[in-house]
Amino acid sequence: MALQELDELREEALRGLASAADAAAAEQWRLAFLGRSGKLTMELRALRDLPLEERRSVGAAANALKRELEGALEERQAVLQAVLRRGEAGVAAEAVDVTLPARALPRGHLHPMTLMRRSVERIFGAMGFAVVEGPEVEWEHYNFERLRIPKDHPARDMWDTLWIDYEREGERPLLLRTHTSPMQIRFMETHAPPIRVIVPGTCYRYEATDATHEWMLTQVEGLVIDEGITFGHLKGTLESFVHRLFGPNVETRFRCDYFPFVEPGAELAIRWRDGRWLEMLGAGMVHPEIIEAAGFDPDRYTGFAFGMGIERFAMLRYGIEDIRDFYQNDLRFLEQF
């Protein structure tokens, strides 16, 4: 037996002794290592088979290990006995009537925005959409430039951007994404048509807050790219979504709107209970330049995209008048859901 094997046996023994939780476990450990058939006892018996010089050095080390383990066992037994005495004293001093019913623990639940997001994902999932996610810290290249919003373009005023103080030569500027649309580009870089995905996630905008605006919002982006996709597919998809979410009797309205990355663009509004038309989301046909920049033939492939802030859907669904209530962590508000 080599000295290295003794070192390994020592580590194994001390590790096992440290895990002994009571007197019975400590006794099992003693039998396993120091008993008549214990590991160290058997190694000591095998010394007679070693050459004389090696027997002297290994024998001295083995006997020293035996004394060390015996001492460690005594210390462990003393600790276990002390713990046992303290436990018995504590039980006697702190005895309780275990037949009393336990205190009820408060039951948690999902945040209303999580509930709404899951509803949206479930509806679009039933229509064949996959759910993908993208980074919240985004390159300017994806957030603006690849979406046909170059520097100094007036359309950038539509997004009050939170820029990140990040300077490195050769790197593009970083920002907190203002919408989930950058994931359209990222997904088309790695996937070929047919494409049918939604992209839920948090977006950030440097704007004043009021009852209908927050600096942070949860958006769901949608993208479909395939052969023969028309505006009729877009209209039918969004109408089906609204009817599944709010019921079959809700009226919808499409009107022209401008977004740099779609052509034509539209907004979807619904007629709510008080008869008002409420704008709910923006959408449109994916611009041919974006399809071509992704490496697809715009004469062969078309598609549509949409983006919605689901806080507004939750406000309508649950009758909430102030969007700021979602993120103030007021339990009086959150416990209603």
Side-chain angles (χ1 to χ4, degrees):
M1 177 178 61
L3 295 176
Q4 181 180 355
E5 295 177 356
L6 281 179
D7 290 338
E8 293 174 355
L9 181 60
R10 176 181 181 274
E11 292 180 4
E12 178 188 356
L14 293 178
R15 188 167 55 249
L17 182 59
S19 64
D22 52 35
E27 177 61 17
Q28 289 294 324
W29 178 91
R30 186 192 69 79
L31 295 174
F33 289 94
L34 301 175
R36 296 182 60 183
S37 300
K39 294 182 179 181
L40 181 57
T41 303
M42 299 305 294
E43 297 294 349
L44 288 169
R45 291 177 182 175
L47 289 175
R48 61 177 177 267
D49 298 328
L50 297 177
L52 180 61
E53 291 300 322
E54 186 176 356
R55 187 189 313 164
R56 290 175 178 173
S57 59
V58 175
N63 284 312
L65 176 57
K66 181 180 180 181
R67 291 191 296 271
E68 179 183 358
L69 295 184
E70 289 173 343
L73 176 61
E74 291 179 2
E75 292 179 3
R76 186 61 179 169
Q77 288 172 332
V79 169
L80 293 174
Q81 289 175 0
V83 170
L84 180 61
R85 286 194 296 270
R86 286 198 302 271
E88 292 174 345
V91 169
E94 301 177 7
V96 296
D97 184 355
V98 295
T99 63
L100 289 173
R103 294 184 180 91
L105 295 176
R107 183 178 181 181
H109 56 80
L110 296 176
H111 191 275
M113 290 312 304
T114 302
L115 295 172
M116 177 54 62
R117 173 174 167 170
R118 291 189 176 184
S119 294
V120 172
E121 292 177 357
R122 184 165 55 250
I123 292 171
F124 280 108
M127 290 191 281
F129 284 76
V131 178
V132 298
E133 295 184 346
E136 295 181 13
V137 177
E138 187 56 275
W139 298 111
E140 178 189 29
H141 175 69
Y142 287 107
N143 198 83
F144 290 125
E145 294 171 0
R146 287 291 301 276
L147 291 167
R148 302 184 71 252
I149 315 175
K151 285 183 174 62
D152 302 322
H153 193 288
R156 287 213 182 185
D157 294 338
M158 299 168 60
W159 292 275
D160 300 308
T161 308
L162 290 165
W163 296 92
I164 294 177
D165 186 9
Y166 172 84
E167 294 290 341
R168 184 178 294 178
E169 185 177 355
E171 296 282 6
R172 301 184 178 94
L174 278 172
L175 50 86
L176 294 180
R177 66 180 179 187
T178 58
H179 48 178
T180 48
S181 301
M183 196 56 194
Q184 292 186 28
I185 307 302
R186 289 182 174 274
F187 195 83
M188 286 192 288
E189 285 181 341
T190 56
H191 297 78
I195 293 172
R196 187 182 298 180
V197 296
I198 59 169
V199 187
T202 307
C203 305
Y204 308 88
R205 297 178 184 177
Y206 184 58
E207 61 181 32
T209 63
D210 55 34
T212 57
H213 296 83
E214 259 286 11
W215 70 275
M216 179 185 72
L217 69 151
T218 305
Q219 194 175 62
V220 174
E221 189 81 12
L223 176 67
V224 173
I225 302 289
D226 203 348
E227 298 182 36
I229 298 298
T230 68
F231 196 93
H233 294 114
L234 167 62
K235 188 171 184 290
T237 298
L238 294 180
E239 285 184 338
S240 178
F241 163 71
V242 170
H243 291 158
R244 294 188 189 193
L245 188 64
F246 293 120
N249 298 323
V250 174
E251 294 182 63
T252 61
R253 182 190 69 186
F254 284 83
R255 291 198 307 187
C256 293
D257 203 344
Y258 171 73
F259 304 99
F261 34 87
V262 294
E263 185 181 278
E267 68 169 37
L268 168 68
I270 66 173
R271 189 187 295 277
W272 199 235
R273 298 186 182 99
D274 56 6
R276 291 182 300 158
W277 286 105
L278 302 175
E279 180 187 348
M280 302 304 296
L281 59 87
M285 300 301 292
V286 179
H287 199 287
E289 291 181 6
I290 290 182
I291 293 178
E292 185 174 12
F296 309 147
D297 183 357
D299 294 326
R300 179 183 177 187
Y301 293 106
T302 54
F304 65 78
F306 57 85
M308 65 182 76
I310 61 174
E311 282 87 352
R312 181 163 294 187
F313 286 87
M315 291 173 71
L316 293 177
R317 189 178 197 183
Y318 300 124
I320 298 167
E321 298 181 353
D322 195 324
I323 193 173
R324 293 169 292 191
D325 289 337
F326 287 122
Y327 303 114
Q328 290 180 344
N329 294 327
D330 188 334
L331 290 179
R332 294 171 300 176
F333 171 78
L334 296 175
E335 286 175 349
Q336 299 177 67
F337 301 92

